[in-house]
Amino acid sequence: MKELNLAEGYRGENLAKNYLLNEKRYTILAQNYRNKVGEIDIIARDKNTIVFVEVKARETLAFGRPSEAVNYKKQQKIRRVAELYLVQRKIYDKVPVRFDVVEILGEKVNHIQNAF
């Protein structure tokens, strides 16, 4: 299985970030946010909603769609990281929250809102 190297991973995240900024008009709050639980690729604001975005990039469909890599275990980890982010900022019960996946296949961007 061909793994994406670090540069390709960053390329995918930057494509996703630029798409969210320019096409969707989101405000980017953080990129590669880390806390003691784990990491979230992009944290953005879509109007009054905080959006936690997982980015998955692949060059081909040989091993399935990129979004299929965001399995239940990965989703649970993202939820825990997001919860800590919200608690630390004292906004846990003050804003709507959504979890999206942006999959990059080559140069094509597919944004899946409310992915989980």
Side-chain angles (χ1 to χ4, degrees):
M1 179 171 142
K2 181 187 174 218
E3 292 290 324
L4 287 176
N5 66 36
L6 202 54
E8 289 170 324
Y10 286 132
R11 184 188 68 79
E13 286 183 12
N14 283 328
L15 279 172
K17 180 180 80 172
N18 289 333
Y19 170 82
L20 295 172
L21 279 169
N22 299 321
E23 300 295 323
K24 294 296 203 166
R25 300 290 187 215
Y26 289 7
T27 301
I28 303 300
L29 303 175
Q31 189 171 357
N32 297 314
Y33 168 79
R34 293 180 191 275
N35 62 31
K36 65 183 180 182
V37 177
E39 178 193 4
I40 294 178
D41 294 325
I42 298 171
I43 302 172
R45 189 173 63 241
D46 175 19
K47 299 178 182 81
N48 67 333
T49 301
I50 302 291
V51 184
F52 297 95
V53 182
E54 178 68 11
V55 179
K56 289 295 178 190
R58 292 192 178 156
E59 291 301 316
T60 71
L61 290 173
F63 297 99
R65 297 205 60 82
S67 60
E68 293 171 353
V70 187
N71 58 27
Y72 180 76
K73 183 178 177 182
K74 181 70 173 174
Q75 291 172 17
Q76 292 305 102
K77 185 160 196 153
I78 293 168
R79 283 186 178 108
R80 289 191 304 273
V81 175
E83 183 176 16
L84 185 56
Y85 174 88
L86 296 167
V87 167
Q88 288 174 335
R89 283 155 183 76
K90 297 178 173 56
I91 57 173
Y92 187 78
D93 57 352
K94 294 179 175 51
V95 295
V97 171
R98 191 175 77 223
F99 296 91
D100 292 1
V101 173
V102 173
E103 63 177 6
I104 309 292
L105 187 58
E107 296 296 316
K108 186 173 185 246
V109 177
N110 181 32
H111 181 198
I112 304 164
Q113 292 185 348
N114 287 312
F116 57 94

